[in-house]
Amino acid sequence: MLEKAKGLAVDALFMDLEDAVAPLAKQEARENIIAALTGGGYGDKILSVRVNDWTSQWTYADVIAVIDGAGVFLDCIMLPKAQSAEQVIALDLLITQLELANHLQPGAIGIEVQIENALGLVNVNAIAASSPRLETIIFGPADFMASINMKSLVVGEQPPGYDVGDAYHHILMSILMAARANGKLAIDGPYLAIKDPEGLRRVASRSAALGLDGKWVLHPDQVDVVNEVFSPLQSDYDHAELILDAYDYYTSAAGGSRGAVMLGNEMIDEASRKMALVIAAKGKAAGLVRTTAFEVPA
Ligand code: GLV
Ligand code: MG
C-alpha cells in the first residue's frame, strides 16, 4: 500500500495510527510507520502521521514513538477530532520537547488538525489561531456526520430528505474562513465510495469551488479526479495570466497608469488582479502551461 503510494501524483501522504488501526494493533502500527518513514522514497511529498486523538489513551505515546523513531523524516503530526485550541497547544508543547530531545530543528514539525465534531467546529477559529505549527485544517466528514447525528450513512453526500441546499456548506465555509483568516490550508476529507468517481467529482467540485485547497483520496483511482477538480481549466488559467499581463501593462506609465480598464468585455482592476493571482497560482501548481499571450494594443 505504502509502496504504491510513493508513485502516486499526490502532494501529501499520511500514515494512520487512528481509526484504520485496531486497538490491539496500535503498537505494531507505530513500528511499521517508523520503518516506512525511515525507508524513504517519498520524493517531495509532505509526510504526516495521524496519531490518536487526545481523548484516547494513545496520543502521547504515538507522538513520542513517531518523533523519537523517525522525526527527521516527518513533516507533520495530524491530530484527529481536534476540539479546542488547548489540545493543539498541548501537542505543540510535546512536539517542542521531542524536537529538543532529538536535536531536530525547532519548529520543523508542523501540525494538521481534523475538525470532526461540533465542539471542534464551534472552536475552529481559536484552533486555527492556536499555534504557529498549525499548517492545515481538515474536514473529517465521517466522524462529523456521526457526531452531529446526521441521518445518513453515505459520507460526503447530501443526507436524504435535505433538499434545500448543501448540508455541508456551513461546515466547509467555517473551516475555510478560519483557515484563510489565519493563513492555513483548508482541506476536504475523504469520499468513501471508491467505485463512484462521479460522486467523488460532485462532492470534490463543491469544496474546490468554495476555495478549499484540496481533498483526501483513499484509493489510487481517486487521484486523477481530485487533481482535475482542484486544478483550473486551461482556459481559466490562460485567462488569469492574460488579466495579470494586461493589468501590469495598463497600470504602467506606458499603458497610461490606469487602475481600471476594459479587457475584452470585462472591466479589470486591482481586485481582478488578486483573483487572477489565485487561479494563476493554482494553474502553475497543477503544471499547466500558458497557451495564449497578451498583446500590447497598437
Ligand atoms: C476522517 O477521518 C473522517 O472521519 O471523515
Ligand atoms: Mg475521522
Side-chain angles (χ1 to χ4, degrees), residues 37-209:
L37 285 169
T38 49
Y42 302 95
D44 57 5
K45 293 180 182 29
I46 294 166
L47 291 181
S48 306
V49 172
R50 180 166 76 167
V51 297
N52 289 277
D53 84 280
W54 275 125
T55 64
S56 76
Q57 71 201 63
W58 297 294
T59 321
Y60 77 99
D62 287 344
V63 179
I64 293 171
V66 167
I67 298 184
D68 276 352
V72 72
F73 301 98
L74 191 66
D75 294 304
C76 287
I77 294 284
M78 186 190 298
L79 180 67
K81 302 178 180 69
Q83 308 201 51
S84 65
E86 288 74 16
Q87 288 193 340
V88 182
I89 293 166
L91 178 59
D92 184 326
L93 290 172
L94 182 53
I95 295 175
T96 299
Q97 287 203 336
L98 289 164
E99 282 175 346
L100 275 173
N102 287 287
H103 310 290
L104 300 171
Q105 195 192 323
I109 298 178
I111 295 177
E112 304 182 353
V113 289
Q114 284 185 282
I115 300 298
E116 307 198 82
N117 53 40
L119 193 53
L121 191 69
V122 167
N123 289 330
V124 70
N125 292 332
I127 289 172
S130 61
S131 160
R133 286 187 197 275
L134 185 71
E135 296 178 8
T136 306
I137 308 175
I138 304 159
F139 174 43
D143 274 303
F144 201 101
M145 290 166 76
S147 91
I148 63 168
N149 296 351
M150 196 180 258
K151 200 165 148 256
S152 169
L153 277 174
V154 189
V155 172
E157 290 288 3
Q158 301 301 315
Y162 190 76
D163 51 10
V164 291
D166 180 352
Y168 303 100
H169 180 80
H170 168 71
I171 306 168
L172 290 171
M173 265 305 197
S174 302
I175 290 173
L176 182 61
M177 292 305 113
R180 289 292 174 266
N182 292 280
K184 315 295 180 187
L185 294 175
I187 300 290
D188 192 10
Y191 184 75
L192 271 64
I194 284 156
K195 301 265 178 248
D196 181 4
E198 283 321 304
L200 172 64
R201 180 180 299 277
R202 195 170 51 242
V203 171
S205 296
R206 290 192 195 117
S207 46

